[in-house]
Amino acid sequence: MVAIPQLVTEVTVQTANNNDSVTLLGVNIEEPTEATLHHEEIDSQDDENHDTDDNMSDDHPLGLDPQEMTDLLHDPESILKLELDSCNQCMSHHGMSRVSSSATPSVYKDVVVVGNGPSGIVLSYFLAGNWPYYNGCGESVNEMLHYRLLAASSATKNPQNSSIVEQDLRFLAQGLEGRSTNPVALLFDTLNHPDADLGLELPSLLEWQNNPKHAVDHVVLGKGPPGGAWQLMDGNVLTISLGCWMELPQMNFREWEATQEARCVRDSRASVASVAQYYCDYVLAHRLEQYFVSNTEITEVTRIPCSSAGLPTVCDNLPPDLQMEAAEEPSRKVRRHTISEIPVNSQNGREYRNRNRTLWHVKGFTRDPSNGGRKKDFSYLTKHLVLATGSSDSPNILNVPGEHLDFVLHSLKHLEQLITSGQLNQDSDPILVVGAGLSAADAIIAARFHSIPVIHVFRRTVDDKNLIFKQLPENMYPEYHKVYQMMQDPRSYDAYKAFEQHVIGEIRPDKRVKLMGPISSGVVKVSYIVICIGSHPDLSFLCGVERNLGVHPGLPIDCKRNPIAIDVSTHESVREPGLFAVGPLVGENFVRFLQGGALAITNHLNQSKKLAC
């Protein structure tokens, strides 16, 4: 068994230079007993795996003889350093976090949300104690749902004041159909935007009430201001969804927009700049800023056990139910139960265990833009970690030779900067745009608006039924259908060439690009290459856990092909308890539908709270 120094006494020493005294915690200057030379047995399997630490003396917990200890007592700083080194050595031996004299204190939150886009904002609105209630006026919208809601309300203890959050979402969402595959998303959208798919803007069937007793202590961490990726997009681009579909609960987008300066709006669509500002104003209007921490970067998220051995050195506000009871202190020479040995309690037909729980430890830092980007570390502990990062962290790449060259762009915003600065103009060589989605179309529109010649390369056929252009009504999205017409008949448009079913084979330093098609190949001369083939989330801060989260385990998370696998009624990961995901990470790209995820998580937390009581 490894010899571990036990924290059993405290010694107060008076310094030689002044009358101040220093208290040394965890120093035992008596002869060690058997108990001080053994670490608590955490699991029965440890009994067969005892290694001896050659760097630690068996004569004294700090590896010193009595005379050396007496000498060090006259130099408090030295003994504090020695104690810290000893603890670090022990912790490192057992794979634990190293102790640091400048460690950032951890703060406990019931929920930590990573991402401050619309998903994180609407979830914060729910968690702040804002709950929706059915107003009873939806019989003409969906008769079956109407009577389900009435039946669900009558089954609660207080049917006159029963929120959707308190009801069985699976039961309510049965049989609903729409543009989302998530039943809870369809449920919320049906109530919040009745008959929206028919192009109607009917009043919401929900009423909202704020009750502080329902508030959940949480924090929302974002890389920039509230709004997430909307703050990084080109503000002049128009949204795909109608402006009213971009709104969040209890703040009408049309009414808000009427109070703003005139912006470019066409056919009820809004500019990206308007939407980004709306989300910032939403946080302020509903007093959610107290929950938001902007300009953050997450460096590490790990699981730790709810025990004194696994928790960080300091946690200012750890709830009592997560602290070890006196009977479970490490000094007891009794090993704690493994999870299989803990009695299972049953309430309302559901089983649960209260012991051997784990917490998520979220570490990172904030940057202060007003102070030269100065960093400040943070550390949070939570039982519930919500991923709301979206899908635009990292652009997808072609993985072809030369893609690293400086004239290869993966951002529409970078293209706009080159045009604005004059580095790209009508006299430039053509830009080469790769992709057949809306981002590629935006790049083509921007270039042609400034008379910049375009070479368009895409690997699909123009008749592919999965092209996004075929799914957009022409009268609402004329600019995108114009690009689609160009793809179909490129000879009718000057300064535009289309290479259907082609891919890039090589990018050369002299700005010549080799194109390969099903019949022939060739080389074109370009000024810049704009690669618009989508993006993917960066979940590397999960330290390997992300590889197990997808619908297809072992593969990277891809919002289209491999979203995070969740229980659709709770949005909790099917493989990592306590981990939740919302928005594009689970395949919901429209603001209309991602709000259902906030309802599902809030419903789950409320049900869990009832079971724990």
Side-chain angles (χ1 to χ4, degrees):
M1 182 65 70
V2 179
I4 307 293
Q6 186 147 1
L7 310 180
V8 294
T9 66
E10 62 180 44
V11 178
T12 301
V13 182
Q14 191 173 40
T15 61
N17 297 329
N18 52 50
N19 295 325
D20 295 334
S21 61
V22 178
T23 300
L24 308 179
L25 297 178
V27 180
N28 183 0
I29 60 174
E30 300 176 354
E31 287 298 318
T33 64
E34 181 180 0
T36 65
L37 297 178
H38 292 83
H39 189 270
E40 179 190 8
E41 296 175 325
I42 301 299
D43 192 285
S44 59
Q45 294 180 357
D46 291 341
D47 296 337
E48 300 177 1
N49 298 284
H50 302 318
D51 298 323
T52 301
D53 190 341
D54 295 331
N55 295 324
M56 299 182 67
S57 169
D58 288 334
D59 295 328
H60 194 280
L62 294 180
L64 304 173
D65 59 38
Q67 182 57 46
E68 290 174 317
M69 176 59 73
T70 301
D71 293 340
L72 279 172
L73 286 177
H74 295 286
D75 187 358
E77 292 184 1
S78 297
I79 196 168
L80 284 171
K81 182 177 184 303
L82 182 62
E83 182 191 14
L84 183 62
D85 291 343
S86 177
C87 288
N88 280 334
Q89 184 183 57
C90 169
M91 298 287 276
S92 177
H93 179 78
H94 286 272
M96 301 177 184
S97 300
R98 292 178 61 85
V99 179
S100 171
S101 59
S102 60
T104 303
S106 294
V107 177
Y108 176 82
K109 296 290 182 181
D110 288 326
V111 179
V112 172
V113 183
V114 181
N116 65 354
S119 298
I121 294 173
V122 73
L123 177 57
S124 179
Y125 182 71
F126 272 92
L127 297 180
N130 299 290
W131 281 14
Y133 296 77
Y134 178 53
N135 65 11
C137 301
E139 184 174 4
S140 62
V141 175
N142 189 310
E143 184 178 6
M144 186 66 71
L145 177 58
H146 169 73
Y147 286 110
R148 279 196 188 126
L149 286 163
L150 295 181
S153 295
S154 63
T156 61
K157 294 181 179 179
N158 187 7
Q160 300 301 320
N161 194 30
S162 176
S163 170
I164 307 296
V165 170
E166 301 174 282
Q167 299 176 23
D168 185 342
L169 301 183
R170 285 183 182 272
F171 168 70
L172 294 178
Q174 290 179 17
L176 296 178
E177 297 180 351
R179 296 184 181 181
S180 173
T181 58
N182 185 315
V184 179
L186 291 174
L187 169 64
F188 186 83
D189 184 66
T190 300
L191 296 172
N192 200 39
H193 293 290
D195 287 335
D197 287 339
L198 301 179
L200 303 178
E201 293 189 25
L202 301 179
S204 173
L205 300 176
L206 297 175
E207 295 178 354
W208 295 80
Q209 296 180 19
N210 178 270
N211 192 329
K213 75 176 184 180
H214 296 322
V216 176
D217 188 22
H218 68 282
V219 64
V220 182
L221 307 174
K223 292 183 178 180
W230 288 93
Q231 302 293 349
L232 303 175
M233 300 179 190
D234 181 1
N236 295 317
V237 174
L238 297 181
T239 62
I240 299 301
S241 298
L242 299 177
C244 63
W245 291 358
M246 311 305 297
E247 69 185 22
L248 302 182
Q250 288 295 89
M251 188 165 165
N252 186 281
F253 185 83
R254 298 289 181 216
E255 294 176 1
W256 171 87
E257 193 174 37
T259 66
Q260 307 299 303
E261 295 181 3
R263 297 181 186 274
C264 177
V265 180
R266 182 191 304 162
D267 294 330
S268 300
R269 292 162 62 193
S271 69
V272 167
S274 291
V275 175
Q277 187 60 50
Y278 169 83
Y279 291 140
C280 279
D281 290 354
Y282 185 92
V283 170
L284 295 175
H286 291 286
R287 300 179 180 178
L288 301 177
E289 67 272 16
Q290 60 183 307
Y291 303 110
F292 280 69
V293 181
S294 299
N295 303 311
T296 69
E297 182 170 331
I298 309 296
T299 56
E300 182 182 22
V301 174
T302 54
R303 273 195 184 276
I304 58 174
C306 292
S307 65
S308 60
L311 292 176
T313 309
V314 179
C315 185
D316 295 334
N317 62 335
L318 194 66
D321 66 315
L322 295 178
Q323 298 175 7
M324 293 182 62
E325 299 176 358
E328 292 186 330
E329 288 298 328
S331 58
R332 291 186 70 217
K333 293 190 63 178
V334 184
R335 70 178 176 84
R336 289 192 288 276
H337 297 293
T338 62
I339 192 167
S340 61
E341 297 170 325
I342 300 172
V344 176
N345 299 313
S346 179
Q347 292 185 5
N348 301 325
R350 298 179 66 176
E351 297 180 342
Y352 70 98
R353 293 182 171 93
N354 278 330
R355 300 174 64 186
N356 276 47
R357 290 165 295 184
T358 59
L359 294 174
W360 293 101
H361 190 191
V362 182
K363 294 189 288 185
F365 59 85
T366 60
R367 294 183 183 273
D368 185 357
S370 64
N371 194 14
R374 184 177 181 182
K375 295 181 180 180
K376 182 180 180 181
D377 293 337
F378 62 75
S379 175
Y380 290 103
L381 296 177
T382 185
K383 289 191 293 185
H384 309 104
L385 176 68
V386 181
L387 301 178
T389 61
S391 61
S392 58
D393 290 322
S394 304
N396 293 333
I397 60 175
L398 297 172
N399 283 318
V400 298
E403 191 171 0
H404 66 283
L405 296 171
D406 58 5
F407 58 89
V408 180
L409 315 179
H410 293 86
S411 164
L412 178 60
K413 189 171 184 178
H414 194 176
L415 174 64
E416 291 279 3
Q417 291 172 348
L418 291 172
I419 295 174
T420 302
S421 66
Q423 297 180 63
L424 266 175
N425 54 55
Q426 60 185 3
D427 297 324
S428 302
D429 287 329
I431 65 167
L432 191 155
V433 178
V434 183
L438 298 181
S439 295
D442 287 334
I444 294 170
I445 292 169
R448 288 187 60 80
F449 182 80
H450 294 88
S451 302
I452 299 170
V454 174
I455 296 174
H456 189 192
V457 176
F458 49 98
R459 62 182 181 180
R460 295 185 178 185
T461 67
V462 293
D463 297 324
D464 192 318
K465 64 180 181 180
N466 293 317
L467 284 177
I468 185 63
F469 309 107
K470 291 180 174 292
Q471 304 172 32
L472 302 176
E474 185 173 354
N475 62 331
M476 290 182 60
Y477 307 94
E479 73 276 28
Y480 291 129
H481 277 271
K482 186 65 175 179
V483 172
Y484 186 44
Q485 290 175 10
M486 294 166 60
M487 293 167 62
Q488 293 174 306
D489 186 18
R491 295 181 181 180
S492 298
Y493 297 90
D494 295 333
Y496 173 82
K497 293 182 179 180
F499 288 84
E500 179 183 3
Q501 289 187 284
H502 277 67
V503 296
I504 292 180
E506 180 186 6
I507 302 172
R508 300 171 183 173
D510 61 358
K511 297 189 176 182
R512 296 183 183 276
V513 183
K514 182 179 181 180
L515 303 180
M516 299 185 300
I519 300 177
S520 61
S521 62
V523 176
V524 296
K525 180 74 165 60
V526 302
S527 58
Y528 286 91
I529 301 173
V530 188
I531 299 175
C532 304
I533 56 173
S535 57
H536 61 275
D538 180 8
L539 301 177
S540 58
F541 55 80
L542 291 174
C543 304
V545 173
E546 73 277 9
R547 287 281 181 171
N548 191 44
L549 297 179
V551 173
H552 305 291
L555 298 178
I557 296 300
D558 183 289
C559 299
K560 292 183 178 180
R561 301 173 183 83
N562 190 35
I564 293 177
I566 58 169
D567 179 333
V568 293
S569 63
T570 66
H571 274 244
E572 186 174 19
S573 165
V574 298
R575 300 189 184 92
E576 290 289 339
L579 180 68
F580 301 78
V582 289
L585 290 176
V586 297
E588 293 293 358
N589 293 298
F590 291 97
V591 175
R592 274 177 58 193
F593 297 117
L594 59 79
Q595 299 179 59
L599 171 62
I601 292 174
T602 308
N603 174 273
H604 173 72
L605 295 178
N606 181 62
Q607 295 299 324
S608 299
K609 183 179 180 180
K610 288 182 178 180
L611 287 175
C613 295

